[in-house]
Each structure stands twice: as C-alpha cells, then as structure tokens.
Amino acid sequence: MSLSPEVWDLLGLDALARDLYLRLLQAPEEGLEAHAAAVGVPTHVALAGLEALVAARLVHRSGGDFAPADPRRALVALARSRQSLLDGVGPLADELGTVVEAARLQASPHEFFSVLRGAPAVLGGAAAVLRGAVHEVVGTVTPPFVAGDDDEVLAAQRGLLDRGISFRAVYDSSVLETAELREHVVALATAGEQSRVSVGVGTKMLVADGATALLPLARGDSTEVSALLLGRSALTDALQQLFELLWRRSQPVLMAVEEDGAVGRGLEPHLARALRLLASGMSDAGVAAALGVSGRTLRRWVSELHDRLGTTNRVQLGMAAARTRRPGPPEAREG
C-alpha cells in the first residue's frame, strides 16, 4: 500500500486498525476469526480493532459481519474530519495561551513590560518589534522625532515590507508639512506601506501582531527619550483597538500627496495641489510653506476653491477632494 505509517497515524488509525482494514479490503468475505488469525491477534482484540474502524466509518457492521466501505470515499471523509479537528487546534491554542499569559501577568507582571531609556534603546526596541513581526504591524507617527529615526527603524520597516508583512500607519497631518518627512512617507507608501493621515494623532505607538507594543513614556513636549515595551495584555489589545479607530477616521496618504491630476480633476495645478494638502489636514501655515506661497495667497486660493467646489469649510473640502479623485487600483484607494 502507498500510504505510509505516518499518514495512517494522521488519520487516527493505529497499526492494528490499519492491518485489519487492509485485510478486510483484500478478503471481505472472511469472518472475524480469519481476520484475527491473519493479523496475529486474539479474536477479542481484532473485534475491538474492527469496532474502531466502524467508529471511523471505514467499515460497516451488520450483526457479526464486517464489510469495508469504499476507501475512495471513506478515507477522504475521514481525512476531512481529522482536518476539521486540526483546524480547531489554533483557536484552542490561542485560548490556552491567553490563560497562561493571564496567569503569568498576575504572578510576574514585570515580565510583561520593560522601560527603554535613551534614544539608542528606544530605536533599537522599535526595530526589534518590527523585525519580530509575523503577520502585521500597525503604528501611529507624530512629532517630535528621535534623532536617528531614519536609520535603523526605517531599515527594519523596509525589511518588514520586503518580507511581505503588512504595515499600516496613521500619520499626523503635521508630518506632511516637512518636505523631507513627506518624501519618506511617500517612499514608504510606494514601497507597500498602507499609509493614512489624520489630524491630531495623539501619540506614537507601534503594535506587532496585536501582541507586542511600544509607546513613549514622556509627553510630547518633554526632552526625555523613553518608551514602554509591552507584552501581550489587555493594554496591547486596547492599543490595537485605538489604532483601528484612528485608521477608520483617516484618509490615504497618497491622496494627500499624489501627483497633480489625481485629485482636483478639472482644477488648475496650483489649486489641485492646495486642495490635496488642505484635505490632508495640514495647517494653513504648513500648506503655504509646502506650496511656497504666502499666507495671503493661500487664503485667496482657498476662497477660490470654496467658490469652485461649493464648499464652506475644511471638512467639505476633504469630501470634495475625494469626489474629484480619479479611481485607481483597490490598493491605492484603500491606502
């Protein structure tokens, strides 16, 4: 027979059940005593083995007679039932893992978090979180930035994307007001990062696989560089949920910074670009600086946009920007 012993084991059949099943297939007309003698076991042992085959639906019983089911259907059905059981192992493992984590958290809470102090430690921790991700990393980005952000962390992030692991980021709109940072954001989005932008992103955070998180300890206006590295807990669950809320109320970065013509269809290039930046949530001063114009000029352009698009405020401008955007591939639209 071509099935290896390992395959029989995966089907939940031991050596006796296998031998009896093969014997039934080869000599279905013979009785229990003959089958027991053929496989070299007492009759009562053979009977127990045949009962196991009946339970697996590989054998039919009628009184004291046993007949094999068609193996082309019976073995496939058994394999599918075993696969269904195996599919339940993952959720069970997660559930038991949660129980273990809760017990460890209660017994030794210090094992679930560590404080990183100083820029090298914080940046190294962020890079380690990125490198250790298996399924997905999510994060928020907002000033101030730690010196060196563009080195180890960005390299780890690009490595993440190269491995095909999803990375979703929500940027505070103020990030787009700096040309250098805007270029980094666009480069990462082009490389595969799913990037969105929102107004008033409260803090930075990084969450890998919903289980490991890194977030700053000091307030945004503090000169101290420190962060909290967290293991899986209710807090990491809450951070993941917070990110999802931010993600839903943000808009794709590429919509805010993409090339002329994609947003603002039918508008002059300078108005189309102003519309994109305004819709991203950038401040008036930031938009004026990005466009290289005075505040007075920007106000004139904004007034013209309101007249042309029939809007009266920033929210309506954002909606108008979305309406004037040319449809693109699903990835571009979903950001």
Side-chain angles (χ1 to χ4, degrees):
M1 290 292 175
S2 59
L3 288 182
S4 66
E6 291 80 6
V7 175
W8 289 103
D9 291 340
L10 288 174
L11 291 174
L13 302 175
D14 60 19
L16 174 61
R18 177 194 63 200
D19 292 345
L20 285 169
Y21 185 56
L22 295 178
R23 172 69 182 173
L24 277 171
L25 292 174
Q26 295 165 352
E29 73 285 351
E30 295 188 3
L32 174 61
E33 291 77 7
H35 294 315
V39 300
V41 297
T43 302
H44 71 279
V45 175
L47 178 60
L50 290 171
E51 291 288 2
L53 290 171
V54 171
R57 299 186 179 181
L58 294 178
V59 170
H60 302 299
R61 180 176 185 174
S62 177
D65 297 326
F66 296 89
D70 185 341
R72 287 166 295 190
R73 291 194 296 270
L75 282 175
V76 171
L78 178 59
R80 287 174 177 168
S81 67
R82 298 292 294 182
Q83 183 61 54
S84 178
L85 290 174
L86 292 174
D87 288 341
V89 171
L92 175 61
D94 287 340
E95 182 178 347
L96 294 178
T98 301
V99 173
V100 172
E101 288 167 356
R104 286 178 56 204
L105 182 58
Q106 183 173 4
S108 305
H110 62 278
E111 294 183 7
F112 280 79
F113 69 88
S114 58
V115 177
L116 308 179
R117 299 190 184 280
V122 172
L123 293 174
V129 169
L130 291 169
R131 288 194 295 264
V134 176
H135 302 294
E136 181 188 49
V137 175
V138 301
T140 57
V141 184
T142 184
F145 296 101
V146 178
D149 267 350
D150 296 340
D151 302 324
E152 185 179 9
V153 175
L154 285 176
Q157 187 172 347
R158 290 184 181 277
L160 189 82
L161 297 172
D162 290 341
R163 300 198 324 263
I165 296 175
S166 171
F167 189 95
R168 290 186 291 149
V170 176
Y171 291 87
D172 186 82
S173 58
S174 61
V175 175
L176 301 182
E177 297 180 8
T178 303
E180 183 179 359
L181 292 176
R182 189 163 59 245
E183 290 176 4
H184 280 308
V185 172
V186 173
L188 287 171
T190 304
E193 178 187 86
Q194 299 177 61
S195 311
R196 292 190 176 186
V197 62
S198 184
V199 180
V201 175
T203 185
K204 296 178 187 177
M205 66 175 172
L206 202 60
V207 184
D209 301 323
T212 305
L214 184 73
L215 68 160
L217 277 175
R219 292 172 57 89
D221 55 359
S222 173
T223 58
E224 179 186 358
V225 178
S226 59
L228 188 63
L229 183 62
L230 296 163
R232 185 164 191 170
S233 60
L235 184 52
T236 56
D237 292 342
L239 291 173
Q240 181 75 35
Q241 292 172 12
L242 173 60
F243 175 85
E244 299 300 343
L245 289 174
L246 291 171
W247 181 260
R248 286 196 291 271
R249 72 175 180 86
S250 57
Q251 67 161 317
V253 161
L254 290 182
M255 178 177 167
V257 297
E258 60 196 351
E259 295 180 357
D260 290 336
V263 169
R265 188 167 65 252
L267 295 174
E268 290 80 355
H270 68 283
L271 291 179
R273 190 176 180 202
L275 176 61
R276 291 195 304 276
L277 298 177
L278 289 165
S280 74
M282 289 176 62
S283 66
D284 286 355
V287 173
L291 296 175
V293 299
S294 67
R296 183 176 180 179
T297 297
L298 178 63
R299 286 192 294 273
R300 188 174 70 249
W301 290 357
V302 171
S303 178
E304 186 174 352
L305 284 170
H306 284 319
D307 290 341
R308 297 272 293 272
L309 299 174
T311 58
T312 59
N313 55 50
R314 281 290 192 94
V315 174
Q316 292 176 354
L317 274 179
M319 296 172 63
R323 289 197 303 269
T324 63
R325 185 171 186 258
R326 288 196 185 110
E331 295 79 8
R333 291 197 300 271
E334 296 173 1

